[in-house]
């Protein structure tokens, strides 16, 4: 069964307005390398490090990506179909602070918080995916991207929804995934 919360016309309007924002205001892109990729692909420069992406570019990109794909769990045993009207939940991403119930106050997350987060996610049956939703404040910022992924691998077997906060964080995270899976072809 499907639930539709928005009418088709409202969905179309939302998409049109989003595409208008991308083409007029653009998105902030800090990395020189990432800016080059966008510009080489036909995007234009806007004000204050913004890249404007045309409707045609977005539609062209959407036209070449698969409509669905499999996302595998950490040990490579179970997969989930993403796309084709499938719905999956994860605990969210990038919480900047947590609420410490013992202290009754907000604070930056630390390694034990990441461990608890992933252990809890592992046990929540309706969350098919985990995320690297917390960044540990007790490790150097230069390794924070990799560290949060490492902790996720250690404490939860569900597929990981993640990203990097830095350009430099991408390659080590990709290398970890390749190593975990047993090779790039896997």
């Amino acid at each position: 069964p499907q639930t539709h919360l928005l009418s088709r016309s409202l969905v179309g309007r939302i998409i049109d307005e989003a595409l208008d924002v991308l083409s007029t205001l653009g998105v902030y892109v800090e990395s020189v390398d990432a800016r080059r990729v966008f510009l080489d692909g036909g995007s234009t420069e806007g004000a204050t490090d913004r890249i404007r992406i045309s409707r045609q570019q977005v539609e062209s990109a959407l036209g070449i990506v698969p409509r669905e794909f499999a996302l595998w769990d950490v040990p490579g045993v179970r997969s989930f179909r993403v796309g084709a009207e499938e719905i999956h939940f994860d605990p969210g991403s990038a919480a900047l602070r947590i609420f410490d119930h013992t202290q009754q106050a907000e604070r930056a997350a630390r390694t034990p918080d990441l461990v608890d987060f992933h252990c809890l996610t592992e046990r929540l049956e309706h969350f098919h995916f985990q995320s690297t939703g917390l960044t540990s404040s007790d490790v150097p910022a230069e390794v924070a991207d990799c560290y949060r992924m490492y902790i996720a691998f250690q404490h939860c077997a569900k597929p990981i929804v993640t990203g990097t906060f830095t350009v430099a964080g991408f390659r080590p995270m990709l290398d970890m995934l390749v190593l975990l899976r047993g090779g790039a072809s896997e």
Side-chain angles (χ1 to χ4, degrees):
Q2 294 182 351
T3 301
H4 297 278
L5 301 176
L6 305 174
S7 68
R8 286 185 187 260
S9 63
L10 183 56
V11 169
R13 182 174 158 207
I14 291 168
I15 291 170
D16 285 341
E17 289 179 12
L19 291 171
D20 185 53
V21 168
L22 286 173
S23 66
T24 56
L25 181 61
V27 293
Y28 175 72
V29 179
E30 182 178 353
S31 163
V32 173
D33 293 334
R35 292 177 66 76
R36 177 61 34 218
V37 169
F38 278 107
L39 294 172
D40 288 349
S43 296
T44 59
E45 291 189 278
T48 62
D49 292 332
R50 291 186 182 272
I51 296 291
R52 292 189 300 250
I53 306 167
S54 72
R55 175 186 208 95
Q56 179 185 356
Q57 285 177 283
V58 173
E59 290 173 348
S60 175
L62 291 173
I64 62 173
V65 298
R67 297 198 45 81
E68 63 181 77
F69 59 91
L71 190 58
W72 291 85
D73 64 4
V74 174
V77 174
R78 184 172 179 201
S79 69
F80 295 88
R81 188 171 65 168
V82 177
E85 305 296 326
E86 294 289 321
I87 298 172
H88 304 282
F89 295 96
D90 72 58
S93 296
L96 300 177
R97 305 187 53 76
I98 65 165
F99 185 78
D100 186 317
H101 291 279
T102 306
Q103 297 178 6
Q104 290 293 298
E106 286 183 20
R107 64 170 171 76
R110 296 185 293 263
T111 297
D113 301 314
L114 274 70
V115 171
D116 289 347
F117 176 79
H118 291 289
C119 288
L120 176 61
T121 301
E122 177 68 21
R123 288 166 180 80
L124 295 172
E125 69 177 285
H126 297 294
F127 280 175
H128 294 162
F129 304 152
Q130 63 173 314
S131 68
T132 52
L134 299 173
T135 300
S136 186
S137 65
D138 57 356
V139 298
E142 297 80 19
V143 298
D145 275 338
C146 296
Y147 186 73
R148 62 194 174 94
M149 185 178 245
Y150 171 77
I151 294 295
F153 287 151
Q154 297 299 310
H155 298 282
C156 186
K158 294 178 179 181
I160 298 174
V161 176
T162 192
T164 64
F165 290 117
T166 65
V167 173
F170 176 77
R171 178 53 62 185
M173 290 175 76
L174 177 60
D175 290 345
M176 287 173 66
L177 288 167
V178 168
L179 181 65
L180 178 76
R181 190 56 65 223
S185 64
E186 297 297 318

